Amino acid sequence: MTVAFALAMALVIAAMGVFVYERQETQLDEIVETSLRSRSDDVAALVRSSDTTRSVVGGPRLVESDEGFIQILTPRGRLLDGTTQNRVPALRPGEARRAARSPLMLGRHVAGVDGPARILARPASSQGRTLVVVTGASLSDRDDTLTTLSKSFLIGGPIAVLLASGIGYMLATIGFRPVEAMRQRAKRISLTRDGERLPLPDAHDEIRRLGETLNDMLARLQASFVRERRFVADASHEMRTPLAVVKAELEAAMRAERSGGNVRESLVAALEETDHLAQLAEDLLLIARSADGQLPVRPEDVQLHDLLERTGQRFADRAGEQGRRIHVDAPHDLRVAMDPLRSRQALWNLVDNALRYGAGEIRLTARGNGEAVEIDVSDEGAGFPAELEPHAFERFSRGDGARTRGGTGIGLAIVRVIAEAHGGTAEIVDTASNGATVRLRVPIAARSAN
């Protein structure tokens, strides 16, 4: 930043120096030319009122000999009178003829005059004849002034750039001090220690807003880390229980075989727990694949009434054991492009949740809504807890009831993953009646597989 600032300052000072130099040069030239015109008017007036040209310059001194000169020439360029010791005409014959017709301004070196000179030649009348009045002024003072100005910029410019760069470096160091403090704190921050955040400067500027954004990101990462760690603990507990049951049943089967007992019951119980473990592993794999954006779906033409009927039949016995029933309400001609396997998985998770945590009748309804279909799974229980509802579809999010009844907190997350893989959505719907309603909204048209 300091180098860039120094380069910018150098360019600004250089541009300002060129501008000031040219402006000063123009003003000095205007002063010299104004002085020449004024002196030329005076000499022309003397020429008109004089009987002889020699009396013009022999009278009052109109100019210092080392600063300027006056000459009176004929239209052919012959010198009649002048203030310089050098008797060489300041104009060439061609220039004298042009000056006899109209004023002429030019610059050149003239003998006897210090440095280059600015010359004004103009016509003047005397005793009925046309003469040429030439007035000149030395440009040495003007050139000295411009040289001094150039030296001032050449010396003062780099000093100004160095001073400004030093001040800029100090200001940048002070300005970035909060960033350095954030960097030092960031080296020590760990997600395992709760509440650690980046320090924020007092000024409400861009750096503070950056720090606030990073602190918000740290809070989200820490919350995600806590959920992941909690899920690992819950998943470990979920797996430990069926593994212990499988081990116990297999040991019982071995004892029963030796004592002539019933081995089949123990093997059936072990098989059920093995299915539970396999389903849990499948759910975890599905969540992991969806997090990588690689959940594949293969849409097919699905009749929703048949899909809901089969889902109801799948859970009919379990619902009957609880004294509950599953009701299906869907048009027979309503069809949608969905992956049959994934759609059954989503619906089974919703019905399983309704049987676990809900009460009363479970209703599976489907209807068309524009370019999409809506599938609702409802029950007559207490509904979602208020603190859980905003986070119900997040992975590993569980209410207290789920913890006491063996839930892993990934069922609704899987539902949302499947809905989004089809280009749809999953949401909790508020209804006038009690209970919970989860709605899947899926486009009717097929979506290409991921």
Side-chain angles (χ1 to χ4, degrees), residues 56-124:
V56 173
V57 296
R61 293 296 295 273
L62 299 176
V63 64
E64 295 294 332
S65 60
D66 59 344
E67 293 181 355
F69 62 92
I70 298 173
Q71 288 184 349
I72 299 176
L73 307 178
T74 67
R76 294 185 179 183
R78 185 169 61 86
L79 179 63
L80 298 179
D81 195 8
T83 59
T84 60
Q85 299 296 326
N86 191 343
R87 306 302 296 174
V88 178
L91 300 181
R92 300 183 182 94
E95 295 170 344
R97 286 193 294 272
R98 292 204 309 273
R101 294 191 298 270
S102 61
L104 177 66
M105 184 77 70
L106 49 87
R108 64 169 52 132
H109 285 275
V110 176
V113 177
D114 236 357
R118 183 66 52 84
I119 300 172
L120 173 61
R122 55 171 292 183

Side-chain angles (χ1 to χ4, degrees), residues 178-191:
V179 177
E180 178 62 19
M182 291 181 187
R183 189 188 69 84
Q184 293 291 342
R185 180 69 62 83
K187 291 170 59 177
R188 301 191 301 270
I189 287 180
S190 172
L191 292 178

Side-chain angles (χ1 to χ4, degrees), residues 353-354 356-358 379 381-393 397-405 412 428-430 434-438:
N353 275 358
R356 282 176 180 268
Y357 314 120
D379 64 69
F384 287 90
E387 69 278 3
L388 176 64
E389 185 170 337
H391 311 287
F393 290 97
S397 178
R398 304 191 303 169
D400 292 336
R403 296 181 183 279
T404 57
R405 280 177 271 184
L412 289 179
I428 298 172
V429 180
D430 293 328
N434 293 330
T437 298
V438 178

Side-chain angles (χ1 to χ4, degrees), residues 63-373:
V63 64
E64 295 294 332
S65 60
D66 59 344
E67 293 181 355
F69 62 92
I70 298 173
Q71 288 184 349
I72 299 176
L73 307 178
T74 67
R76 294 185 179 183
R78 185 169 61 86
L79 179 63
L80 298 179
D81 195 8
T83 59
T84 60
Q85 299 296 326
N86 191 343
R87 306 302 296 174
V88 178
L91 300 181
R92 300 183 182 94
E95 295 170 344
R97 286 193 294 272
R98 292 204 309 273
R101 294 191 298 270
S102 61
L104 177 66
M105 184 77 70
L106 49 87
R108 64 169 52 132
H109 285 275
V110 176
V113 177
D114 236 357
R118 183 66 52 84
I119 300 172
L120 173 61
R122 55 171 292 183
S125 298
S126 176
Q127 302 297 322
R129 59 187 295 198
T130 299
L131 301 176
V132 177
V133 174
V134 179
T135 56
S138 172
L139 297 179
S140 58
D141 291 342
R142 161 199 173 268
D143 291 345
D144 290 344
T145 301
L146 293 176
T147 300
T148 302
L149 181 63
S150 299
K151 291 180 179 179
S152 299
F153 274 106
L154 291 175
I155 296 174
I159 295 175
V161 169
L162 290 175
L163 290 176
S165 300
I167 295 173
Y169 181 82
M170 289 189 295
L171 292 177
T173 302
I174 295 172
F176 279 101
R177 192 172 294 162
V179 177
E180 178 62 19
M182 291 181 187
R183 189 188 69 84
Q184 293 291 342
R185 180 69 62 83
K187 291 170 59 177
R188 301 191 301 270
I189 287 180
S190 172
L191 292 178
T192 58
R193 294 194 293 270
D194 189 20
E196 286 192 319
R197 295 294 182 267
L198 299 176
L200 299 177
D202 295 332
H204 293 272
D205 54 7
E206 293 83 354
I207 295 179
R208 182 183 178 91
R209 290 196 294 272
L210 172 63
E212 291 172 346
T213 302
L214 293 176
N215 282 338
D216 292 340
M217 181 187 69
L218 286 173
R220 292 193 300 271
L221 290 175
Q222 195 162 52
S224 176
F225 176 76
V226 170
R227 287 196 302 270
E228 298 279 350
R229 185 168 55 183
R230 186 175 62 197
F231 168 74
V232 171
D234 293 341
S236 299
H237 176 74
E238 291 294 325
M239 290 184 174
R240 187 183 302 116
T241 300
L243 286 173
V245 172
V246 170
K247 180 180 179 181
E249 293 295 338
L250 292 177
E251 290 174 348
M254 293 177 63
R255 289 194 299 269
E257 184 179 11
R258 288 194 297 267
S259 61
N262 190 353
V263 180
R264 178 177 175 79
E265 293 181 0
S266 297
L267 293 179
V268 168
L271 182 61
E272 290 178 352
E273 294 301 327
T274 303
D275 288 341
H276 183 196
L277 280 174
Q279 184 60 48
L280 180 59
E282 177 65 23
D283 290 344
L284 293 176
L285 178 60
L286 178 64
I287 289 293
R289 294 177 70 182
S290 66
D292 294 335
Q294 299 175 350
L295 179 63
V297 291
R298 296 173 178 83
E300 299 178 10
D301 186 35
V302 175
Q303 187 183 39
L304 282 180
H305 185 274
D306 291 345
L307 176 63
L308 298 184
E309 280 288 351
R310 289 196 297 270
T311 301
Q313 293 170 5
R314 164 73 170 75
F315 291 92
D317 292 341
R318 183 175 163 189
E321 293 175 359
Q322 300 181 15
R324 302 166 65 183
R325 60 187 297 268
I326 299 176
H327 176 72
V328 175
D329 180 14
H332 287 273
D333 59 348
L334 185 58
R335 313 182 76 87
V336 66
M338 292 184 70
D339 186 317
L341 176 62
R342 298 303 184 192
S343 59
R344 287 196 300 269
Q345 189 175 9
L347 290 173
W348 289 2
N349 278 345
L350 292 178
V351 176
D352 179 72
N353 275 358
L355 288 172
R356 282 176 180 268
Y357 314 120
E361 183 182 71
I362 298 174
R363 295 178 300 279
L364 306 179
T365 60
R367 59 188 171 277
N369 185 359
E371 298 296 324
V373 296

